[in-house]
Amino acid sequence: MNKYTLLFCLYLFSTISAIGQNYKNPVIPGFYPDPSICRVGDDFYLVNSTFEYFPGVPIHHSKDLINWQPIGHCLTRTSQLPLDKCGPSGGIYAPTLRHHEGIFYMVTTNVTNRGNFIVFSKNITGPWSEPAWIDVDGIDPSLYFEDGKCYLTVNPNNTIYLYEINPITGKLLSEGKAIWQGTGGRYPEGPHIYKKDDWYYLLISEGGTEYGHNITIARSKHIDGPYESNPANPILTHVGMNAQLNPIQGTGHGDLIQAPDGSWWMVCLAFRPQSGLHHVLGRETFLAPVRWDENAWPVINGDGTIDLEMDAPTLPLQPFVPLPTMNDFNEDTPGYEWNYLRNPNPEDYSLTERPGYLRLKGTDITLDYIDSPTFIARRQQHINFAAGTAVEMGKAKAGDEAGITLYMNNNAHYDLYVEQTRDKEQKVVLRYKLGKMTHIANEITVPNGKICLSVQGGNNDYTFSYSTDGKKYITIDKMDTKYLSSETNGGFTGVYIGLYAVSPYKRSNSYADFDYFIYLPQD
Ligand code: 6LW
């Protein structure tokens, strides 16, 4: 056998062995809720909601529905994503992504500012257009294209309405028609229309995005109804006895997709409770196989539940190179995993002023404000993880602080930081902010210079440590994960691990230099 035959055989073997493998859920872990998916040829693209974070609506790419790689965001400019004073879990709600005749469309709602809008782009990585605002109430807009027409579904007044729309201008071209209210569950939302064979299918979510969440479906021979409910509804839910011990809960908000091989799949959101019934990672993106039964209704993974370990044949797997665990800050711009709070002031961040360092310039906007503190963060994507950084204060004045934060929202965050003291010394401080309470767990005077800060995440606790030499770490305290959970704080987001800087002075020339950032998944 010559070299090429051998390589070909190896390739064939790897492809064949890849088909039929099981896969793990969630397929996109961490705060990636409200997934919407579309396919162009062999390429799948998926978007999620982002609320008060910037840039908005991350885009992932996949060849196999299981391995996903971040490739950008739809909303990268303040003009597309005004988030001024947007409260926690305001801003961008569920998006829908569709591709039609060479153009990608993303439709979503900025619940804090002007409501529903569409952006479009010829390329999935943008640049995406300015918003075309839609004069309609409700959330979770979706688009469906057919015969040169485009239809909008959206849910004002707890009812799914259908409109004809111009997807470029956002102008409504017809009166709205109420087409379904679901099966009686609260918050009928997340509607999507699909056509398969002779039927229009209307997929929605009901029950709210907590433990009662579920997915139902109706169908009609005509796009504007009447829609008949599937007698087997809900088609996906974890409220039943068959999922009472399932580590995945709150399954809902799905979108269907057909793969090039003809197989059908659903992406949906769900969460993973930890430390009792608390979830801190936010709502994540899951994948389920779909089959159509003899009466032409979709069946999700057999019994309408999903698992962490999925027992299902997959498309040929095409993994991507994972993100490195260590970020040396050697790039000139932050990677797609980094987010800001609301609309950031670009002058407060630099990766070029000191090559190999992330420089943050603190302002008097603290993490407690509904505003844009100097804060750049990535999602906590794993229940068990280790994260760390090393921070050096520059030209610091008394009261300047910089460090690492576990941030759920302005009312719930744990901060491990270096603070400049009045007498030109510094201290390491661990502070908990929970509602109206701010508690300093400990403060330790340390020598001037670079300080390493680390956080270890686990099921019940976060453990906070520091080091003055990068070798010997001293644990300061442990704090419960559950107080940062969605159950404790409400809202739709998950915990971020942030690097931040604050100064008591509105504008000073002080700064903090972060040497590296490590995020090590340990699930
Ligand atoms: C979203 C709605 C929902 O718009 O929660 O879980 C809302 N589903 O469909 C916020 O994500």
Side-chain angles (χ1 to χ4, degrees):
M1 192 188 299
N2 72 25
K3 189 169 81 183
Y4 296 103
T5 327
L6 179 68
L7 280 176
F8 181 72
C9 288
L10 283 174
Y11 170 77
L12 210 62
F13 178 71
S14 69
T15 324
I16 292 166
S17 66
I19 302 173
Q21 285 188 7
N22 300 334
Y23 67 93
K24 285 187 193 310
N25 263 322
V27 287
I28 310 182
F31 161 56
Y32 286 104
D34 301 317
S36 175
I37 188 168
C38 78
R39 177 172 70 83
V40 185
D42 291 345
D43 295 292
F44 298 96
Y45 300 103
L46 185 147
V47 292
N48 299 96
S49 50
T50 40
F51 306 91
E52 68 267 37
Y53 290 93
F54 190 93
V57 186
I59 308 163
H60 279 82
H61 170 232
S62 176
K63 291 272 189 189
D64 58 16
L65 292 167
I66 290 152
N67 296 287
W68 291 94
Q69 187 180 43
I71 56 167
H73 293 82
C74 294
L75 306 175
T76 54
R77 306 186 293 276
T78 301
S79 57
Q80 297 165 308
L81 181 54
L83 290 172
D84 193 32
K85 305 282 185 287
C86 153
S89 291
I92 296 297
Y93 271 30
T96 297
L97 182 68
R98 294 291 181 257
H99 183 259
H100 179 68
E101 292 182 350
I103 300 180
F104 290 96
Y105 297 86
M106 192 283 291
V107 61
T108 184
T109 320
N110 183 337
V111 295
T112 316
N113 207 325
R114 291 191 67 178
N116 290 299
F117 66 98
I118 299 174
V119 291
F120 53 88
S121 171
K122 283 198 175 138
N123 298 313
I124 187 71
T125 50
W128 290 76
S129 72
E130 285 299 295
W133 296 98
I134 312 169
D135 186 13
V136 74
D137 286 339
I139 57 165
D140 300 355
S142 179
L143 300 176
Y144 172 74
F145 293 86
E146 188 176 30
D147 293 340
K149 289 186 175 176
C150 180
Y151 299 88
L152 171 81
T153 46
V154 65
N155 79 338
N157 310 320
N158 282 327
T159 306
I160 311 301
Y161 275 78
L162 180 82
Y163 295 83
E164 209 186 312
I165 190 172
N166 177 329
I168 298 292
T169 63
K171 194 173 180 318
L172 296 175
L173 304 177
S174 75
E175 292 287 305
K177 181 167 181 199
I179 53 172
W180 202 36
Q181 268 201 316
T183 64
R186 64 178 71 165
Y187 302 122
E189 59 192 13
H192 295 300
I193 286 182
Y194 314 88
K195 193 166 187 192
K196 183 175 184 299
D197 305 323
D198 289 341
W199 292 106
Y200 292 93
Y201 290 91
L202 174 58
L203 183 81
I204 72 162
S205 279
E206 304 183 39
T209 193
E210 297 84 20
Y211 286 85
H213 215 190
N214 61 81
I215 293 185
T216 55
I217 195 161
R219 70 183 177 193
S220 173
K221 292 280 180 193
H222 308 280
I223 190 160
D224 62 348
Y227 279 85
E228 52 155 321
S229 180
N230 180 354
N233 277 327
I235 57 171
L236 175 70
T237 182
H238 278 209
V239 300
M241 196 190 286
N242 56 351
Q244 67 186 17
L245 296 177
N246 197 311
I248 304 167
Q249 293 295 323
T251 49
H253 202 105
D255 198 2
L256 292 167
I257 191 78
Q258 188 174 24
D261 69 353
S263 60
W264 283 82
W265 300 83
M266 176 187 275
V267 288
C268 68
L269 71 69
F271 52 83
R272 289 181 284 161
Q274 63 185 79
S275 189
L277 294 179
H278 296 88
H279 72 281
V280 304
L281 267 54
R283 300 166 303 154
E284 314 176 270
T285 293
F286 292 76
L287 177 74
V290 177
R291 75 174 167 83
W292 295 83
D293 72 12
E294 58 286 1
N295 298 317
W297 290 108
V299 175
I300 313 300
N301 194 35
D303 72 344
T305 68
I306 54 174
D307 299 299
L308 294 180
E309 306 281 342
M310 292 293 294
D311 180 15
T314 68
L315 302 178
L317 296 180
Q318 298 196 43
F320 297 102
V321 179
L323 269 181
T325 49
M326 168 88 141
N327 185 336
D328 271 324
F329 297 127
N330 285 327
E331 309 287 323
D332 284 1
T333 47
Y336 298 129
E337 71 273 30
W338 293 99
N339 282 183
Y340 305 92
L341 268 170
R342 306 181 182 87
N343 301 117
N345 178 3
E347 287 166 17
D348 297 336
Y349 307 83
S350 173
L351 282 162
T352 52
E353 279 177 31
R354 184 175 175 194
Y357 286 79
L358 168 70
R359 177 163 290 181
L360 297 186
K361 298 169 191 171
T363 72
D364 59 350
I365 300 167
T366 76
L367 298 174
D368 300 352
Y369 289 23
I370 297 186
D371 204 328
S372 195
T374 305
F375 163 100
I376 179 165
R378 59 152 295 151
R379 292 159 177 84
Q380 179 187 341
Q381 292 187 273
H382 305 85
I383 294 173
N384 300 289
F385 71 93
T389 189
V391 63
E392 223 175 293
M393 307 294 271
K395 297 185 184 158
K397 297 199 193 65
D400 283 353
E401 67 175 71
I404 192 165
T405 178
L406 296 172
Y407 184 91
M408 169 50 108
N409 64 34
N410 63 301
N411 269 320
H413 48 93
Y414 302 159
D415 318 320
L416 176 63
Y417 58 94
V418 176
E419 181 181 329
Q420 189 71 25
T421 51
R422 213 167 286 140
D423 41 1
K424 296 214 165 76
E425 271 181 357
Q426 56 180 13
K427 55 187 179 182
V428 170
V429 186
L430 176 60
R431 176 181 59 208
Y432 306 135
K433 160 78 176 169
L434 292 170
K436 286 184 179 159
M437 292 183 295
T438 301
H439 174 68
I440 302 286
N442 208 341
E443 39 189 352
I444 305 122
T445 300
V446 289
N448 276 342
K450 195 181 280 187
I451 303 294
C452 304
L453 305 171
S454 95
V455 182
Q456 175 77 49
N459 187 55
N460 297 322
D461 305 297
Y462 295 111
T463 306
F464 299 92
S465 314
Y466 77 97
S467 168
T468 51
D469 61 6
K471 293 182 195 125
K472 192 170 157 267
Y473 276 80
I474 298 165
T475 296
I476 310 178
D477 195 17
K478 283 184 182 198
M479 184 55 170
D480 306 61
T481 51
K482 65 183 172 199
Y483 301 127
L484 296 188
S485 70
S486 301
E487 287 73 12
T488 306
N489 295 287
F492 303 127
T493 57
V495 167
Y496 270 84
I497 305 164
L499 302 178
Y500 81 97
V502 171
S503 171
Y505 311 95
K506 197 170 184 96
R507 283 261 153 234
S508 70
N509 57 359
S510 64
Y511 53 81
D513 285 341
F514 293 83
D515 191 359
Y516 59 82
F517 177 76
I518 293 174
Y519 179 81
L520 193 62
Q522 295 176 329
D523 277 351

